Amino acid sequence: MASAVTSGIRVTVEAHHLSERREPGRWLFAYQVRIVNEGPAPAQLLSRHWIITDGLGREEHVQGPGVVGQQPVLAPGAAHEYTSFCPLSSPLGSMRGSYQMARSDGTTFEAAIPEFALAAPESLN
């Protein structure tokens, strides 16, 4: 599990390999994200930027609005959780990134998504 706090927004991520969904040359990972507003003011998640790195060091950037079709507004103390998936061409890799967040006064900031490992159990010795 990995966790980071930026401007009062805590992002925690946990990933696991979906071994039952294994295909030749492709590994599928699920990751659970929990975003908590630990700050004193509401914040809305506007967009995401993921950097996905496979075991050979190749990077893929994924950007878009919201998360799983939502742009949640987090009141102080509120949390938003979701699960998503990532296919890789290798049994090892990592993900990291950021969420663009906005406050009600119009200011925006990038909340860090901490780097976390994607690792199929058979690749760990």
Side-chain angles (χ1 to χ4, degrees):
M1 187 178 308
S3 186
V5 179
T6 309
S7 297
I9 301 297
R10 179 178 299 276
V11 179
T12 304
V13 187
E14 187 170 10
H16 66 275
H17 178 240
L18 298 174
S19 57
E20 70 278 6
R21 303 277 305 269
R22 172 99 165 58
E23 297 175 12
R26 186 170 177 247
W27 288 261
L28 186 63
F29 298 88
Y31 56 93
Q32 172 88 25
V33 179
R34 180 174 170 82
I35 306 163
V36 181
N37 184 353
E38 297 179 348
Q44 181 175 17
L45 190 156
L46 300 176
S47 62
R48 69 192 183 286
H49 176 205
W50 286 104
I51 302 167
I52 304 164
T53 306
D54 71 12
L56 299 175
R58 295 178 293 212
E59 285 189 355
E60 177 184 357
H61 292 254
V62 177
Q63 297 178 318
V67 290
V68 292
Q70 299 178 357
Q71 292 180 312
V73 176
L74 300 171
H80 180 77
E81 292 186 42
Y82 71 95
T83 300
S84 194
F85 304 91
C86 176
L88 274 186
S89 59
S90 64
L92 292 172
S94 66
M95 292 178 68
R96 69 185 190 284
S98 62
Y99 295 122
Q100 183 183 37
M101 308 292 294
R103 300 276 185 206
S104 56
D105 67 3
T107 60
T108 61
F109 63 97
E110 300 292 317
I113 303 170
E115 186 169 21
F116 58 96
L118 303 173
E122 68 271 12
S123 66
L124 303 175
N125 292 328

